[in-house]
């Protein structure tokens, strides 16, 4: 088994990949779209990419790659990892020597307050990942530092000048495990989808949200992103509690599909927090099954 992930070794995603596929052959990639392409091509059955951070929000490149890229790659699982950011530099570097700081564009804003307080005038330079930044620092002079994992410090012979410098306790990133098929239901699942509205009509978003609310389906995330077609045209990303094989989720999705131009399912997969979404009374599987049976008895009485 091979796992592809945003590399090189020493990234936070590399740690998530070890949880997703322990002991697998590891194939680090330079970018998130490369990971997705590798899974689509079948180079590896499992890919791991970051999707959301508790301080900085969504990893837009992941959302866009999954929503607008070629079909055939799905989220099969989510993994959340506590994120501890460290200031890494070549041995002998002092904080006051640093004039340039490199890291992944998701990592820098997680340390904004610390950087304002300790390195206010530093030049911020984006890197392909935190571990690439660490590697670049190992080849630079002693005025360049990186934000990254303690593991990257070991890997690239750097010192940790300051640790745990993220702006908030409990800093957490959510990663998604990708594959070419969707996951089976576990009873504690989530479904991620993107809605493309097409023609602009009043009340369309309300209509979509109503379909979920009517069936007591909890939305765990809702976010809009540009469709990239024209200024002001947005699609919405929704994460909901439940699996597409649950009757109320299936019925809601079928209804939503009637109202919009397209619905793209990004995946239906076990939740990291294992929280079971209760569906009781009229929302239960039994109630849907009973209603289907009742309706069958009506159809059966129609002349054939
Ligand atoms: O650069 C890395 O180490 C990554 O794994 C990427 C990434 C991200 O894109 O969110 C992962 C976790 C942290 O939130 C910061 C960076």
């Amino acid at each position: 088994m091979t796992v592809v992930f945003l590399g090189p070794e020493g990234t936070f995603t590399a740690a998530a990949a070890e949880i997703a596929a322990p002991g697998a052959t590891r194939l680090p990639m330079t970018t998130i779209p490369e990971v997705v392409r590798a899974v689509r091509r079948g180079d590896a059955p499992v890919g791991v990419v970051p999707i959301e951070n508790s301080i900085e929000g969504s990893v837009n490149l992941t959302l866009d790659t999954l929503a607008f890229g070629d079909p055939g790659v799905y989220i099969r699982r989510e993994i959340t990892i506590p994120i501890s950011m460290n200031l890494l530099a070549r041995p002998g570097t002092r904080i006051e020597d640093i004039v340039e700081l490199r890291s992944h564009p998701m990592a820098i804003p997680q340390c904004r307050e610390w950087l304002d307080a300790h390195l206010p005038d530093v030049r911020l330079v984006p890197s392909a990942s935190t571990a690439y930044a660490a590697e670049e620092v190992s080849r630079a002079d002693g005025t360049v530092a990186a934000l990254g994992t303690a593991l990257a410090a070991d890997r690239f012979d750097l010192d940790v000048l300051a640790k745990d410098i993220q702006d908030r306790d409990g800093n957490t990133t959510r990663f998604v495990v990708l594959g070419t098929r969707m996951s089976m239901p576990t009873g504690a699942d989530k479904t991620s989808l993107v809605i493309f509205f097409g023609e602009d009509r009043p009340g369309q978003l309300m209509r979509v949200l109503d379909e979920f609310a009517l069936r007591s389906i909890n939305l765990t995330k809702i976010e809009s992103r540009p469709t990239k077609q024209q200024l002001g045209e947005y699609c919405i990303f929704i994460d909901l509690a439940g699996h597409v094989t649950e009757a109320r989720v299936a019925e809601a999705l079928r209804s939503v599909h009637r109202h919009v131009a397209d619905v793209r399912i990004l995946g239906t997969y076990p939740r990291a927090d294992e929280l079971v979404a209760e569906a009781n009374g009229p929302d239960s599987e039994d109630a849907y099954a009973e209603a289907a049976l009742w309706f069958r008895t009506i159809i059966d009485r129609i002349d054939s």
Side-chain angles (χ1 to χ4, degrees):
M1 149 103 108
T2 303
V3 61
V4 279
F5 59 91
L6 175 66
E9 291 292 355
T11 60
F12 293 100
T13 313
E18 187 52 38
I19 296 171
T25 304
R26 297 166 68 79
L27 201 56
M29 298 276 144
T30 319
T31 67
I32 289 168
E34 269 181 52
V35 173
V36 176
R37 277 197 294 273
V39 172
R40 189 181 295 114
R41 277 197 306 264
D43 296 354
V46 180
V48 182
V49 289
I51 196 160
E52 184 184 7
N53 171 261
S54 57
I55 296 177
E56 188 48 16
S58 287
V59 182
N60 290 334
L61 185 54
T62 297
L63 294 185
D64 287 355
T65 307
L66 295 177
F68 303 109
D70 290 338
V73 175
Y74 302 103
I75 302 172
R76 291 187 52 81
R77 182 184 166 189
E78 60 175 2
I79 291 170
T80 54
I81 292 190
I83 301 292
S84 165
M85 286 291 176
N86 303 281
L87 183 70
L88 315 177
R90 279 174 56 163
T93 304
R94 296 164 310 162
I95 290 195
E96 52 275 26
D97 300 333
I98 299 169
V99 296
E100 183 177 305
L101 181 78
R102 297 181 175 228
S103 203
H104 188 275
M106 285 297 289
I108 294 168
Q110 294 173 35
C111 307
R112 191 77 72 197
E113 290 168 15
W114 191 92
L115 293 173
D116 278 351
H118 297 91
L119 289 170
D121 300 320
V122 84
R123 189 166 59 241
L124 301 171
V125 178
S127 291
S129 73
T130 57
Y132 277 117
E135 190 186 7
E136 286 156 14
V137 165
S138 72
R139 287 187 270 106
D141 64 24
T143 64
V144 186
L147 290 175
T149 65
L151 217 68
D154 279 353
R155 223 183 137 73
F156 299 107
D157 295 323
L158 301 176
D159 278 355
V160 175
L161 299 195
K163 62 177 189 170
D164 270 336
I165 60 173
Q166 63 280 358
D167 291 343
R168 298 283 176 279
D169 289 343
N171 187 25
T172 304
T173 296
R174 189 161 70 93
F175 298 84
V176 286
V177 180
L178 306 173
T180 53
R181 304 277 300 166
M182 296 201 211
S183 302
M184 305 232 297
T186 64
D189 304 286
K190 223 183 214 185
T191 298
S192 298
L193 53 110
V194 193
I195 291 174
F196 298 92
F197 289 104
E199 198 189 325
D200 187 19
R201 286 198 304 272
Q204 235 184 346
L205 175 61
M206 195 62 157
R207 187 73 206 229
V208 164
L209 297 181
D210 260 352
E211 298 294 348
F212 299 119
L214 281 171
R215 297 170 178 88
S216 306
I217 295 169
N218 193 28
L219 305 187
T220 57
K221 185 174 179 222
I222 175 160
E223 175 168 359
S224 57
R225 293 273 308 142
T227 61
K228 307 177 199 311
Q229 297 302 315
Q230 65 182 62
L231 186 66
E233 194 180 282
Y234 281 73
C235 54
I236 58 170
F237 287 74
I238 289 179
D239 282 359
L240 59 85
H243 193 273
V244 294
T245 55
E246 285 171 45
R248 65 197 179 121
V249 176
E251 204 168 285
L253 291 176
R254 279 194 283 261
S255 293
V256 168
H257 190 264
R258 286 186 293 111
H259 291 291
V260 300
D262 197 13
V263 181
R264 182 155 175 178
I265 305 292
L266 302 184
T268 184
Y269 52 91
R271 297 174 66 134
D273 59 13
E274 295 179 8
L275 210 74
V276 176
E278 296 286 347
N280 299 317
D283 298 313
S284 68
E285 288 290 299
D286 283 353
Y288 275 94
E290 202 268 330
L293 279 178
W294 162 77
F295 198 68
R296 188 74 245 164
T297 65
I298 296 170
I299 297 295
D300 285 347
R301 284 180 199 130
I302 296 174
D303 280 344
S304 53

